[in-house]
Amino acid sequence: MQNSDNVIALLKLASAELARAGQAMAAAPTKRLAQVQAQEPIVGDSQENAGVDGVVSIGMGGLHVTADFDSVLVAYGLGSCVGVVIQDPETRIGGMAHVVLPTSSLGSGENEVARYADLGVGRLVGETVRRGGSRGRLQAKIAGGARMFDVPGQGAGLDIGARNAEAVRAALLEAGVPIVAADVGGSNGRTMRFHVGARKVYVRLPGMTEREL
């Protein structure tokens, strides 16, 4: 029981630290995307959630699905979090989720469904199909899952980044969506950018040039 309490305490600490890191890494002001209703993802292609040049910031626990080809979905400050992009390459309908924890059993009542891999991935797939994407054509790209906290004696069970990446992979496998590109692990944060109309995903590490995933 004590070990379980330590795991939960560390996860909560990591979540708080990631929130501060995400705010620091955002180069421009970002707008908090309002939930359509409690425990519902943000979906749609209206420009009310868009910033400059159609950029939509996907914050921690956020999810956005769109058919707007001019949209650019961005997840800033992906440390141990995992950014998940799903798209139907034919219709170009797709979206992004910003996963924070591997399972909803570790949650503390937050409303954001996409905060958890076991719930968020399925919701992202479902909303993409609902908006007109074909489940049989869906493809996924993922990034993040870094080991941001070096704790003495930390075992694999406390590596939140690795657990997030593993949980996302498992959820995508269960949903039948292949991962066509991935950039996970390591010890550095990342920014993930999804150009919907161009069907391209880019990843940038601190101090590095942005590269296509």
Side-chain angles (χ1 to χ4, degrees):
M1 180 63 69
Q2 183 176 3
N3 185 54
S4 177
D5 291 341
N6 290 339
V7 171
I8 293 174
L10 181 59
L11 287 169
K12 289 182 177 179
L13 174 62
S15 182
E17 290 298 323
L18 284 167
R20 289 192 287 270
Q23 293 171 356
M25 290 184 67
T30 60
K31 181 178 180 181
R32 173 61 180 163
L33 303 177
Q35 295 289 353
V36 175
Q37 59 184 20
Q39 296 193 359
E40 286 295 322
I42 302 160
V43 297
D45 54 13
S46 69
Q47 290 301 302
E48 64 184 33
N49 291 325
V52 178
D53 298 326
V55 174
V56 180
S57 175
I58 312 300
M60 295 172 66
L63 184 153
H64 189 90
V65 176
T66 182
D68 180 5
F69 296 165
D70 293 327
S71 289
V72 180
L73 312 185
V74 186
Y76 297 101
L78 290 170
S80 60
C81 296
V82 175
V84 184
V85 167
I86 289 178
Q87 187 174 41
D88 175 343
E90 185 170 315
T91 65
R92 288 186 280 183
I93 294 170
M96 178 186 287
H98 188 147
V99 172
V100 181
L101 294 171
T103 171
S104 53
S105 66
L106 297 173
S108 56
E110 292 89 348
N111 286 332
E112 298 97 329
V113 172
R115 191 176 187 85
Y116 313 105
D118 60 340
L119 300 179
V121 170
R123 183 61 64 87
L124 180 59
V125 171
E127 290 296 336
T128 303
V129 171
R130 187 179 70 83
R131 294 302 300 273
S134 170
R135 180 178 288 271
R137 291 194 300 260
L138 297 184
Q139 298 178 346
K141 296 182 180 182
I142 64 175
R147 183 167 183 159
M148 303 297 293
F149 303 94
D150 189 10
V151 180
Q154 178 179 5
L158 295 181
D159 187 343
I160 306 168
R163 291 181 63 189
N164 280 339
E166 181 181 0
V168 165
R169 288 182 184 277
L172 287 168
L173 179 63
E174 182 178 358
V177 179
I179 299 173
V180 296
D183 182 12
V184 298
S187 58
N188 292 308
R190 299 166 171 84
T191 291
M192 187 182 200
R193 190 182 304 269
F194 173 32
H195 293 255
V196 177
R199 296 174 291 192
K200 293 184 180 297
V201 175
Y202 297 90
V203 174
R204 179 175 59 80
L205 276 69
M208 303 292 288
T209 303
E210 189 173 68
R211 65 179 182 83
E212 185 176 352
L213 186 62

